[in-house]
């Protein structure tokens, strides 16, 4: 359907044209250059490696990137709500590409400032640590370096906080009469103490202290009292801080250049891509050649333009029957918006139908059913609609917003069907919470009915999946496979559904019993067909029959897949019940001034929380139903994304 | 004592017990689950704060059990309490149990899977969806429990 067909392109040209030809291809952005095929391009002497250039570019890019990150802190220009690349004209961009040297100078200057600021900051940290360590001794009038007088010794240090100080002072006093013991303070880990003792008793005193886990305060770099040292340190810190401010001012001056430096980064990136592409080519002294892929629609145009502008040789050919080509999808907006969801699972194989057009309606329908509240849908659709309309944003963000908008619209639809507008807000405000304003029915009153419908939607979803499998076979002209792998399964599963009909809630029992009595035969036919189908491709009859019987296990997995769709009911009910609770809590304060304030606050907080949680779970569960129940029926996947050589930038966008 | 309980207490108290258990157990499960996932999540964010959003989504997944328990508790209590017979009260208790018990167990285990999935994101952000799918596998049983509890309440 919408997997774009690719043509194979082979190219030989002269090396002195290479630069210009690559520029041309990049600007077109429609040719993917294939990596070298080891088996065919076996002459290694033709492969020229540009790894050293790439390496150099990479290290330059990291430098520029860190300069950009550093400068962004000082960038005060207004930014939009969403990230969008800056638009820049082609001539401006090539100007920047040419002014490499001055750009490099600037980057170096910026990195120097950053380095200086960082080293200043480490210095300040170290000084702060020193200051911290001095704080316990701030009131000590003795110089820090003094260790006593002729006759006395002076000891200062800290002891773990869990030690009882009285115990120490008792023991010290026992040991000597001439001793002074004092605590100067404590913090959460340590007691800080001072001891003055006789010089000849120093050893004994010290060993007693050691016993209690004492560690001495000792730092040769401090001279004078603690207070004077602290003052000195504070002085130094304020000086360093001043210097940081000066440096930051310098950096701010550079921030005018930020846009240009970002563009410079992108120019390096473009160059890197060019070298990576050249790494995939083979070349001789004067020629170079590559192979690649180009979408059918562009093939003619590109080859004629290449031939008319340069002396070269271009061959465009159809890919071989079994050759894998890169996958590029093209879909109308509705289907395109779910490409992201399918892409997160896997891209389709290049010869498989693109499932997005079928995923889209089911995805949105299930999302709507699971959120199931018109008011919430309205908010989602309005928010994303306004975002798309008013704000500049990147293409990928826009796609996501579009998906949200469609989700919101589907939710409005199902909310109207089930009568949920911010839970039971409308009937509750009208004073009659039990009134039913649904178009179809209210699932809170009749959950079993919605359960039946959920399972039915599931069966339809999976039958469509089986149908696509058949379609893929027909496309490849394998008609027998189409019959076996989809028609036979239809018979089998239809029989199964008819047989279990009486067990499904909310189904008319007479109808169900009738269905089940006929269903037995359908099921039996299905079983026979499937068992016999095992014979195809089997070595002998018994192996084939055994394979066929093993296939019947799918009956059980089909049943559990169908049950898995009951989450539609569960999640839908959870949303509406919580919304109802929020409304009840909001209205508790009654209808007066205070009541309306409470109402507004609770209403906004409660419903925002409910929207956030339940739209998240509706999103992930709706995706899951696609990935496991739906894709499991037919999807091969594993396609490689088409990644053409193009101008691929992070910060700027060429006009 | 049990004899006394059965003969002298109205059905209301059993219905309350059912609502209580449905919420209590499921919310315990979610708390443990979100706690487990949250520990792993904080570790990842500490390394790379750009991964906050994907990691937060994964951390939020095990919180659904608590929400389901809340829904069931609400459905039992709202409009039903007041002069229930013993049999009806017991029925409500039974209806609350699937959600409570399954919510407890699946919440805890979903939290573990979510924590492992967060570690996937720590290495490769691109594989976040795979992590979510793995985590949702555990959720299915909580959803079934919710469904069974709802259907049971509907039958009383």
């Amino acid at each position: 359907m919408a997997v774009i067909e690719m043509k194979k392109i082979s190219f030989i040209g002269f090396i002195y044209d290479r630069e210009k030809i690559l520029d041309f291809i990049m600007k077109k952005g429609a040719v993917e250059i294939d990596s070298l095929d080891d088996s065919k391009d076996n002459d290694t002497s033709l492969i020229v490696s540009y790894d050293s250039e790439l390496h150099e570019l990479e290290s330059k890019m990291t430098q520029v990137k860190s300069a950009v990150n550093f400068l962004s802190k000082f960038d005060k220009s207004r930014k939009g709500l969403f990230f969008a690349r800056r638009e820049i004209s082609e001539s401006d961009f090539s100007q920047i590409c040419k002014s490499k040297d001055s750009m490099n100078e600037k980057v170096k200057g910026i990195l120097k400032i950053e380095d200086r600021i960082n080293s200043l900051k480490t210095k300040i940290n170290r000084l702060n640590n020193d200051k911290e360590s001095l704080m316990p001794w701030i009131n000590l009038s003795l110089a820090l370096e003094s260790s006593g007088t002729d006759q006395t010794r002076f000891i200062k240090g800290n002891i773990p906080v869990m030690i009882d100080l009285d115990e120490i002072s008792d023991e010290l006093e026992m040991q000597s009469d001439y001793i002074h013991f004092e605590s100067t303070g404590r913090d959460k880990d340590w007691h800080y103490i001072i001891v003055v003792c006789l010089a000849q008793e120093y050893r004994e005193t010290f060993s007693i202290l050691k016993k209690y886990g004492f560690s001495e305060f000792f730092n040769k770099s401090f001279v004078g009292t603690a207070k004077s040292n602290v003052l000195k340190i504070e002085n130094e810190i304020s000086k360093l801080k001043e210097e940081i401010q000066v440096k930051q001012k310098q950096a701010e001056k550079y921030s005018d250049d930020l846009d240009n430096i970002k563009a410079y980064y992108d120019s390096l990136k473009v160059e890197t891509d060019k070298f990576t592409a050249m790494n995939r080519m083979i070349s001789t002294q004067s020629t170079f050649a590559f192979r690649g892929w180009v979408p059918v629609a562009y093939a003619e145009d590109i080859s004629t333009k290449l031939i008319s502008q340069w002396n070269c040789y271009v061959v465009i050919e159809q890919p071989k029957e079994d050759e894998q080509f890169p996958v590029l999808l093209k879909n109308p907006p509705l289907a395109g918006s779910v490409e992201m969801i399918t892409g997160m699972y896997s891209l389709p194989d290049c010869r498989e139908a693109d499932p997005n057009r079928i995923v889209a309606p089911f995805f949105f329908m299930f999302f709507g059913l699971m959120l199931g509240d018109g008011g919430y849908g309205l908010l989602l659709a309005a928010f994303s609609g306004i975002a798309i309309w008013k704000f500049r944003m990147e293409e990928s963000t826009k796609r996501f917003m579009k998906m949200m908008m469609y989700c919101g619209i589907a939710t409005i639809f199902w909310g109207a069907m089930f009568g949920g507008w911010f839970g039971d807000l409308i009937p509750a405000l009208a004073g009659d919470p039990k009134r039913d304003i649904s178009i179809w029915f209210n699932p809170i009153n009749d959950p079993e009915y919605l359960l039946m419908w959920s399972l039915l939607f599931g069966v339809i979803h999976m039958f469509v999946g089986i149908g696509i499998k058949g379609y893929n076979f027909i496309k490849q002209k394998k008609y027998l496979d189409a019959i076996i792998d989809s028609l036979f399964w239809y018979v089998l599963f239809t029989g199964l559904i008819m047989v279990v009909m009486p067990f499904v809630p909310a189904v008319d029992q007479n109808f169900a019993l009738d269905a089940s009595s006929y269903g037995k035969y359908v099921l039996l036919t299905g079983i026979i067909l499937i068992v016999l189908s095992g014979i195809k491709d089997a070595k002998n009859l018994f192996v084939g029959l055994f394979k066929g019987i093993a296939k019947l296990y799918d009956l059980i997995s089909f049943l559990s897949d169908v049950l898995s769709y009951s989450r539609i009911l569960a999640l839908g009910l959870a949303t509406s019940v919580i919304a109802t609770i929020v409304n009840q809590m909001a209205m508790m304060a009654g209808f007066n001034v205070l009541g309306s304030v409470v109402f507004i606050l609770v209403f906004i907080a409660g419903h925002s929380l409910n929207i956030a949680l339940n739209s998240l779970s509706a999103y992930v569960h709706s995706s899951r139903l696609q990935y496991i129940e739906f894709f499991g029926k037919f999807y091969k996947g594993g396609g490689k994304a088409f990644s053409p050589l193009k101008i691929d930038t992070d910060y700027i966008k060429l006009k | 004592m049990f004899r006394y309980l059965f003969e002298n207490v109205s059905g209301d108290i059993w219905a309350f017990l059912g609502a209580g258990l449905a919420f209590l157990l499921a919310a315990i499960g979610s708390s443990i689950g979100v706690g487990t996932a949250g520990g792993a999540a904080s570790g990842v964010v500490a390394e790379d704060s750009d991964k906050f959003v994907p990691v937060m989504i994964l951390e939020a997944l095990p919180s659904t059990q608590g929400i389901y328990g809340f829904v069931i508790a609400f459905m039992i209590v709202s409009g039903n309490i007041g002069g229930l017979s013993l049999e009806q009260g017991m029925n409500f208790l039974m209806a609350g149990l699937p959600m409570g018990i399954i919510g407890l167990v699946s919440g805890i285990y979903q939290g573990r899977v979510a924590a492992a999935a967060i570690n996937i994101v720590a290495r490769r952000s691109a594989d976040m969806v795979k992590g979510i799918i793995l985590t949702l596998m555990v959720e299915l049983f909580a959803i079934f429990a919710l469904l069974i509890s709802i259907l049971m309440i509907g039958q009383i």
Side-chain angles (χ1 to χ4, degrees):
Chain A
M1 269 184 275
V3 176
I4 289 183
E5 294 235 1
M6 295 275 165
K7 293 251 189 188
K8 203 170 174 184
I9 180 170
S10 306
F11 179 94
I12 301 178
F14 287 111
I15 221 149
Y16 51 78
D17 286 333
R18 185 167 65 180
E19 197 76 5
K20 278 183 189 143
I21 291 173
L22 277 179
D23 280 341
F24 168 78
I25 291 176
M26 270 191 142
K27 217 175 273 171
K28 284 276 169 197
V31 180
E32 173 171 334
I33 294 182
D34 227 354
S35 47
L36 294 167
D37 189 339
D38 299 329
S39 58
K40 283 180 207 152
D41 307 308
N42 42 14
D43 193 349
T44 46
S45 67
L46 294 179
I47 299 169
V48 182
S49 163
Y50 293 94
D51 286 344
S52 61
E53 282 90 344
L54 277 172
H55 195 73
E56 200 175 311
L57 275 172
E58 242 162 59
S59 68
K60 216 182 254 172
M61 273 168 80
T62 21
Q63 274 184 11
V64 179
K65 184 111 204 173
S66 64
V68 168
N69 286 342
F70 174 68
L71 277 191
S72 302
K73 287 181 218 156
F74 304 102
D75 184 22
K76 292 193 184 68
S77 60
R78 262 188 74 234
K79 290 184 189 66
L81 187 57
F82 301 99
F83 172 76
R85 290 177 296 174
R86 189 170 66 99
E87 287 194 4
I88 175 172
S89 76
E90 222 164 286
S91 59
D92 284 353
F93 186 59
S94 60
Q95 198 66 42
I96 287 165
C97 293
K98 273 179 203 141
S99 58
K100 264 183 195 168
D101 290 333
S102 74
M103 279 298 169
N104 272 335
E105 268 326 291
K106 271 181 191 154
V107 169
K108 266 187 200 141
I110 293 162
L111 289 181
K112 225 178 187 174
I113 294 176
E114 192 188 5
D115 267 359
R116 182 67 190 151
I117 289 182
N118 283 341
S119 77
L120 287 174
K121 277 185 180 156
T122 4
K123 245 186 211 165
I124 290 179
N125 271 342
R126 216 172 44 223
L127 288 173
N128 270 330
N129 283 342
D130 283 351
K131 187 178 149 194
E132 207 63 18
S133 74
L134 287 176
M135 282 326 269
W137 317 108
I138 193 83
N139 291 324
L140 197 67
S141 46
L142 277 169
L144 288 170
E145 74 273 17
S146 81
S147 57
T149 58
D150 286 349
Q151 296 301 317
T152 62
R153 285 286 171 271
F154 172 59
I155 310 170
K156 58 188 177 308
N158 45 357
I159 278 183
V161 80
M162 60 271 194
I163 304 284
D164 186 7
L165 287 184
D166 291 341
E167 218 176 291
I168 305 178
S169 79
D170 286 350
E171 192 169 342
L172 288 174
E173 271 160 29
M174 288 249 289
Q175 191 248 145
S176 166
D177 292 337
Y178 304 101
I179 199 153
H180 174 75
F181 176 85
E182 188 186 326
S183 158
T184 61
R186 55 168 289 185
D187 57 24
K188 71 181 205 311
D189 293 323
W190 305 103
H191 288 295
Y192 295 93
I193 57 164
I194 302 167
V195 178
V196 184
C197 66
L198 292 175
Q200 65 262 34
E201 285 171 5
Y202 172 72
R203 256 195 203 173
E204 291 82 357
T205 313
F206 199 79
S207 69
I208 289 172
L209 288 172
K210 210 76 226 174
K211 206 170 65 189
Y212 288 97
F214 175 81
S215 55
E216 195 169 14
F217 177 83
F218 187 75
N219 192 334
K220 271 194 177 157
S221 59
F222 297 124
V223 179
T225 59
K227 205 173 219 164
S228 69
N229 272 301
V230 167
L231 281 178
K232 213 161 76 191
I233 289 172
E234 273 170 357
N235 246 334
E236 219 165 309
I237 289 178
S238 68
K239 245 186 240 160
L240 292 177
K241 276 189 178 155
E242 260 166 44
E243 197 185 339
I244 287 184
Q245 259 165 10
V246 172
K247 288 283 164 197
Q248 277 174 345
K249 282 254 165 61
Q250 284 178 8
E252 264 167 57
K253 263 183 222 147
Y254 273 113
S255 74
D256 296 340
D257 285 325
L258 182 58
D259 282 341
N260 284 337
I261 293 173
K262 281 177 175 171
Y264 176 54
Y265 177 83
D266 279 340
S267 79
L268 289 177
K269 191 159 186 241
V270 168
E271 208 167 324
T272 311
D273 287 344
K274 219 185 271 178
F275 275 111
T276 318
M278 265 149 58
N279 249 352
R280 294 176 163 187
M281 299 174 181
I282 52 175
S283 41
T284 63
Q285 282 282 315
S286 51
T287 63
F288 75 105
F290 67 83
R291 264 201 205 104
W293 296 99
V294 55
V296 169
Y298 294 95
E300 195 61 31
D301 174 53
I302 283 183
S303 82
T304 47
K305 279 205 175 130
L306 280 170
I307 292 170
S308 66
Q309 289 181 64
W310 294 285
N311 278 324
C312 60
Y313 181 68
V314 184
V315 179
I316 302 274
E317 56 193 336
Q318 203 70 23
K320 281 181 216 113
E321 197 69 14
D322 55 343
E323 204 168 10
Q324 296 284 318
F325 56 86
V327 174
L328 179 68
L329 302 177
K330 188 178 163 74
N331 278 309
L334 188 72
S337 64
V338 296
E339 270 174 23
M340 192 187 76
I341 290 165
T342 310
M344 277 195 256
Y345 181 80
S346 173
L347 279 176
D349 184 81
C350 57
R351 292 181 203 286
E352 177 176 37
D354 173 13
N356 281 311
R357 288 181 200 209
I358 298 173
V359 167
F362 281 109
F363 178 83
F364 294 128
M365 176 170 122
F366 291 149
F367 184 96
L369 281 163
M370 287 184 205
L371 197 55
D373 189 295
Y376 294 176
L378 216 57
L379 282 181
L380 275 184
F383 167 74
S384 42
I386 290 171
I388 295 170
W389 181 41
K390 280 281 179 197
F391 292 96
R392 245 159 51 82
M393 58 177 93
E394 285 297 299
E395 200 51 43
S396 56
T397 325
K398 203 175 207 164
R399 268 196 179 183
F400 183 78
M401 286 291 163
K402 269 189 194 152
M403 190 195 74
M404 282 233 304
M405 195 174 77
Y406 294 131
C407 283
I409 293 169
T411 312
I412 296 173
F413 173 76
W414 287 109
M417 292 299 249
F418 297 147
W421 298 92
F422 293 104
D424 60 349
L425 183 68
I426 297 170
L429 281 182
D432 180 16
K434 290 274 175 254
R435 200 159 81 206
D436 190 355
I437 56 164
S438 59
I439 295 176
W440 189 15
F441 70 100
N442 188 341
I444 294 192
N445 300 334
D446 199 355
E448 293 190 355
Y449 194 51
L450 182 57
L451 178 60
M452 185 197 80
W453 276 101
S454 304
L455 299 182
L456 184 63
F457 289 145
V459 170
I460 295 170
H461 194 206
M462 286 191 292
F463 269 29
V464 169
I466 297 171
I468 299 178
K469 189 170 193 179
Y471 174 85
N472 274 333
F473 277 129
I474 290 172
K475 215 172 127 195
Q476 295 164 17
K477 303 199 171 62
K478 296 180 183 167
Y479 299 108
L480 188 61
D481 284 304
I483 291 173
I484 288 177
D485 271 336
S486 44
L487 195 63
F488 285 9
W489 288 111
Y490 276 143
V491 176
L492 184 71
F493 291 150
T494 313
L496 178 69
I497 292 163
M498 286 164 87
V499 169
V500 298
M501 194 78 88
F503 303 103
V504 182
V507 174
D508 178 45
Q509 279 301 310
N510 287 329
F511 170 71
L513 288 175
D514 274 354
S516 134
S517 61
Y518 294 120
K520 273 183 280 186
Y521 306 112
V522 182
L523 182 62
L524 202 65
T525 321
I527 290 176
I528 293 168
L529 287 174
I530 289 292
V531 170
L532 287 181
S533 77
I535 298 171
K536 185 183 170 276
D537 301 335
K539 271 183 226 135
N540 64 53
L541 190 66
F542 290 105
V543 176
L545 285 180
F546 184 75
K547 261 192 186 163
I549 291 169
K551 272 196 196 171
L552 290 178
Y553 181 75
D554 277 12
L555 275 178
I556 298 180
S557 63
F558 180 77
L559 214 54
S560 72
D561 282 350
V562 172
L563 286 180
S564 172
Y565 285 85
S566 61
R567 72 184 74 220
I568 294 176
L569 159 71
L571 292 169
L573 267 191
T575 319
S576 50
V577 170
I578 292 173
T580 308
I581 299 171
V582 171
N583 288 339
Q584 281 187 5
M585 291 197 317
M587 286 179 201
M588 263 174 196
F591 290 96
N592 48 39
V593 179
L594 177 74
S596 41
V597 173
V598 171
F599 179 82
I600 290 169
L601 288 180
V602 175
F603 186 84
I604 291 175
H607 284 299
S608 328
L609 192 72
N610 197 18
I611 292 182
L613 281 174
N614 280 301
S615 51
L616 174 66
S617 60
Y619 171 71
V620 293
H621 282 282
S622 188
S623 310
R624 184 221 128 105
L625 287 178
Q626 314 296 330
Y627 293 158
I628 295 175
E629 278 76 15
F630 186 56
F631 285 168
K633 294 284 168 296
F634 69 95
Y635 195 50
K636 200 155 89 184
K640 201 171 109 330
F642 178 63
S643 61
L645 181 63
K646 61 176 181 190
I647 299 174
D648 180 21
T649 51
D650 286 355
Y651 298 111
I652 60 148
K653 192 172 172 184
L654 290 183
K655 264 186 239 172
Chain B
M1 190 189 114
F2 281 108
R3 203 187 155 85
Y4 174 84
L5 271 182
F6 282 111
E7 285 172 0
N8 293 293
V9 176
S10 83
D12 290 347
I13 196 165
W14 296 109
F16 273 128
L17 184 62
L21 284 178
F23 180 65
L24 201 77
L25 294 175
I28 291 174
S30 271
S31 310
I32 298 176
V34 175
T36 315
S42 316
V44 173
V45 174
E47 295 274 309
D48 181 359
S49 61
D50 288 345
K51 288 185 174 152
F52 176 70
V53 174
V55 152
M56 181 197 69
I57 290 175
L58 280 166
E59 189 193 337
L61 289 180
S63 62
T64 41
Q65 280 84 353
I67 298 172
Y68 299 157
F70 185 69
V71 169
I72 291 301
F74 180 82
M75 287 180 76
I76 292 179
V77 173
S78 76
N80 292 322
I81 299 299
L84 288 177
S85 72
L86 182 65
E87 191 192 332
Q88 284 170 321
M90 280 305 211
N91 285 340
F92 277 118
L93 170 61
M94 296 305 163
L97 286 182
M99 189 62 249
I101 295 170
I102 305 298
L104 173 66
V105 178
S106 76
I108 294 171
Y109 282 95
Q110 197 180 18
R112 289 192 198 168
V113 184
I118 285 169
N119 286 329
I120 298 180
V121 173
R123 289 198 200 138
R124 285 186 304 277
S125 298
D127 284 348
M128 175 193 153
V129 175
K130 290 172 190 158
I132 288 183
I133 291 177
L134 293 178
T135 315
L136 286 189
M137 295 284 175
V138 189
E139 173 118 349
L140 180 65
F141 304 103
I143 291 177
F144 281 163
L146 171 68
L147 207 63
I148 291 299
S149 285
I150 289 176
L151 292 178
M152 283 164 91
I153 292 170
Q155 295 294 332
I156 297 168

